[in-house]
Amino acid sequence: MRIFTFSLACLTILQSTFAAESNLTTPLSSHLILPTNFKPPQVFKNTNLVRSVNLEKGYVKETVNVVIENIDTNSQDEYYVPFDGSVAGKVGGFEVRDKKDTTKPAFRSELVEYDTYSPTQFYRVTLPEPLNPSAQLTLSITYHLLSSLSPLPATIKQQDKQYLRLTFSTYALSAYLTQKQKTKIKFPGVDIPEYTGEPERQGSTFTYGPYDNIPAGSESLASVRYEFTKPIIHATSLERDIEISHWGGNLATEERYQLTNKGASLSDHFSRVTWQSTQYYNPPVTAIKALNVPLKIGSLNPYFIDDIGNVSTSRYRSNLREANLELKPRYPIFGGWSFPFRIGWDANLKNFLRNVKGDQYVLKVPFLEGPKLVEGISYEKITLRVILPEGATNVKYQTSVPIVAESISQHKTFMDTLGRTSLTLTAMNVIDESRDADLLVTYEYPLTAGLRKPITIFLAVMAVFTTAWVVGQLDTSIGKSRD
């Protein structure tokens, strides 16, 4: 009778935790669609604009510092930043701040849609406070462009130098009149054999301009060709799973990469003899020779798996000051070659999770980890999945990385009943500088939910013993035959 009463109480607790699953909430997202004949109202002018283009890594990073002035008779709080339609899909990390006070949070910005086939797309920036007539504000606009560099020539020999070409406008594309502007380009070196226009050259920096009174929407195309004898590392896909275990006090991370080198392809077959002979003096090469993955101090049990088996070399070094996972592919990754692999590790959960009050928890983890290289690495698509304990509810998140899709679902693993709560976030066009960005996840995890798994195990064991007892009570003997 006592066993029956205890089992009934367990079932009651399970029922209450099942009912809590319906309390899942997700942050709201907005999608703005404008009319097809939309044009930004001419309520601003750019009094001074300086555009900086950095080509020191395998992607393009741009910073635009601009002084804007309200030329309208009313206060204004919406500023539009245009991009060419062929470039808009390659833009990532778009961020606008107050240049004179970088401690303030970034301004709200969103990509507005009004015509998919339009030659121009816009980002709408909402100022934190309306700008009064004739008032000025200095904006710092930063973003990066993926897949905008092309090797020229497209094929080279194994030991040749690699040159990249960038086509751009010497005018910063703007939706408003710009009274004065100039464009600076920073190259990785001084070997720049071809360029158009008449820039002012100082070492590895080109300056186009200054230009005066440039109308809205004006462009002046130019191109540069420069040496970049390094790999252009690009991940077409990264699937990153973070699994939380309250009972085990563990945070397990696994990352699955589809990595490729977008540099110049080899014009001849790869020569292992030539490759080995160059390792003695270590010249610049366009191939990926190794990957260094810095981990959080105290990370445990790292592993590295090549898609065709663990035939690559890895080494893990950990001490009180650092933790590094060094990966060496089984072959150098030249231009056009791919390298799919996965890595994973464990960590102590108490270093990432905090109990705020009662059943409320806050999880703080890096949005992105992965390899850290001098030449940089870009990510076309990142799918981040945070697997919370079974029974977690009221899930919310916050991150500085722009999210294009979000969902909450159930993830079933060993001995789960309804499945664990899983938060999935998708980001596009991300670069390795997002390693500094954190992801904050808040959720509620009541005690009854924490008891779900041990109660499930207890009931399963009781069911096994009960079944064995019932089967043992059956009379399976063969009766006496009739005479």
Side-chain angles (χ1 to χ4, degrees):
M1 185 66 182
R2 291 181 179 180
I3 295 178
F4 176 77
T5 305
F6 180 72
S7 301
L8 183 61
C10 292
L11 290 174
T12 304
I13 294 176
L14 284 175
Q15 184 178 4
S16 63
T17 55
F18 291 166
E21 292 293 340
S22 60
N23 295 329
L24 294 176
T25 60
T26 57
L28 298 177
S29 60
S30 61
H31 181 66
L32 180 64
I33 301 178
L34 298 177
T36 56
N37 59 350
F38 170 78
K39 289 185 178 180
Q42 297 300 300
V43 295
F44 290 103
K45 71 175 180 180
N46 304 322
T47 61
N48 190 23
L49 184 150
V50 178
R51 172 189 176 206
S52 300
V53 181
N54 192 305
L55 301 177
E56 295 180 302
K57 294 192 175 184
Y59 48 81
V60 181
K61 184 177 180 181
E62 296 195 14
T63 302
V64 178
N65 295 323
V66 55
V67 180
I68 65 173
E69 180 180 338
N70 183 1
I71 59 176
D72 197 52
T73 56
N74 300 317
S75 298
Q76 301 293 331
D77 64 351
E78 291 184 357
Y79 182 86
Y80 288 87
V81 180
F83 286 95
D84 186 89
S86 61
V87 175
K90 304 175 183 179
V91 176
F94 185 87
E95 185 179 82
V96 181
R97 291 182 178 271
D98 187 342
K99 173 65 176 177
K100 295 184 178 179
D101 190 357
T102 56
T103 60
K104 293 182 179 179
F107 300 166
R108 180 181 177 184
S109 58
E110 56 186 342
L111 179 63
V112 296
E113 178 184 338
Y114 67 101
D115 186 356
T116 306
Y117 301 100
S118 172
T120 305
Q121 302 291 335
F122 295 93
Y123 273 88
R124 186 180 70 172
V125 180
T126 303
L127 305 180
E129 296 179 0
L131 195 63
N132 295 325
S134 301
Q136 293 185 343
L137 178 65
T138 303
L139 301 180
S140 177
I141 306 172
T142 59
Y143 54 89
H144 50 264
L145 303 175
L146 273 61
S147 303
S148 296
L149 304 172
S150 57
L152 186 66
T155 59
I156 59 176
K157 293 184 179 180
Q158 191 167 320
Q159 294 178 291
D160 286 352
K161 291 183 178 180
Q162 175 179 259
Y163 290 88
L164 302 181
R165 181 179 61 181
L166 172 68
T167 301
F168 63 100
S169 172
T170 58
Y171 299 157
L173 188 61
S174 176
Y176 311 97
L177 169 70
T178 304
Q179 291 183 325
K180 186 177 181 179
Q181 70 164 291
K182 60 182 177 181
T183 296
K184 295 182 178 180
I185 302 180
K186 176 65 176 175
F187 296 94
V190 295
D191 188 359
I192 311 167
E194 298 177 13
Y195 57 90
T196 59
E198 299 180 355
E200 177 187 347
R201 183 168 182 174
Q202 295 180 346
S204 59
T205 302
F206 279 10
T207 301
Y208 288 86
Y211 305 109
D212 297 326
N213 298 320
I214 304 301
S218 298
E219 289 186 282
S220 176
L221 294 181
S223 65
V224 292
R225 179 172 173 263
Y226 61 98
E227 182 197 354
F228 190 85
T229 311
K230 301 176 184 177
I232 303 177
I233 307 175
H234 180 74
T236 57
S237 174
L238 166 60
E239 297 178 350
R240 174 171 159 85
D241 290 349
I242 300 175
E243 187 171 350
I244 309 301
S245 174
H246 279 237
W247 278 97
N250 186 61
L251 184 143
T253 303
E254 181 175 278
E255 298 181 337
R256 298 176 292 277
Y257 289 84
Q258 295 293 330
L259 206 66
T260 185
N261 185 350
K262 303 194 74 172
S265 303
L266 292 179
S267 57
D268 299 325
H269 293 294
F270 169 68
S271 172
R272 175 67 69 175
V273 175
T274 303
W275 175 257
Q276 288 299 125
S277 64
T278 60
Q279 299 309 297
Y280 294 101
Y281 56 94
N282 196 27
V285 293
T286 60
I288 304 173
K289 296 191 294 184
L291 299 171
N292 181 46
V293 183
L295 303 179
K296 293 293 184 181
I297 298 175
S299 297
L300 304 170
N301 309 320
Y303 60 90
F304 168 41
I305 302 176
D306 195 307
D307 260 18
I308 65 170
N310 193 9
V311 296
S312 301
T313 304
S314 63
R315 183 176 68 169
Y316 180 60
R317 296 184 293 108
S318 176
N319 52 46
L320 297 178
R321 294 180 299 176
E322 63 178 359
N324 285 294
L325 179 60
E326 300 173 357
L327 315 177
K328 188 174 182 180
R330 63 185 181 274
Y331 56 85
I333 314 299
F334 281 94
W337 296 6
S338 298
F339 180 50
F341 67 95
R342 68 178 62 195
I343 56 176
W345 61 91
D346 294 328
N348 195 326
L349 183 60
K350 69 179 183 181
N351 297 329
F352 303 89
L353 187 68
R354 183 165 59 94
N355 181 226
V356 180
K357 181 180 65 175
D359 300 334
Q360 298 180 356
Y361 292 86
V362 176
L363 176 69
K364 182 179 179 181
V365 293
F367 185 89
L368 175 67
E369 293 184 81
K372 185 176 183 180
L373 304 166
V374 176
E375 55 269 26
I377 177 172
S378 58
Y379 301 85
E380 183 175 335
K381 180 181 180 181
I382 296 179
T383 303
L384 173 59
R385 185 172 60 165
V386 181
I387 304 173
L388 301 172
E390 188 175 22
T393 61
N394 197 24
V395 181
K396 298 179 181 179
Y397 74 92
Q398 180 181 354
T399 182
S400 60
V401 179
I403 302 299
V404 299
E406 59 186 36
S407 65
I408 291 184
S409 59
Q410 302 299 317
H411 175 75
K412 291 187 178 182
T413 57
F414 181 69
M415 292 301 294
D416 286 339
T417 51
L418 294 181
R420 302 186 183 186
T421 305
S422 176
L423 169 66
T424 303
L425 305 176
T426 303
M428 305 291 293
N429 299 337
V430 181
I431 59 174
D432 52 353
E433 292 184 2
S434 295
R435 291 175 56 90
D436 299 329
D438 289 323
L439 171 66
L440 295 177
V441 180
T442 62
Y443 61 94
E444 295 180 2
Y445 187 57
L447 177 62
T448 53
L451 294 176
R452 175 182 297 185
K453 181 159 289 188
I455 291 175
T456 302
I457 296 174
F458 171 78
L459 293 178
V461 172
M462 288 294 297
V464 170
F465 277 102
T466 302
T467 303
W469 179 82
V470 171
V471 171
Q473 297 301 312
L474 297 177
D475 184 7
T476 58
S477 60
I478 300 176
K480 296 181 180 181
S481 59
R482 296 181 180 179
D483 295 336

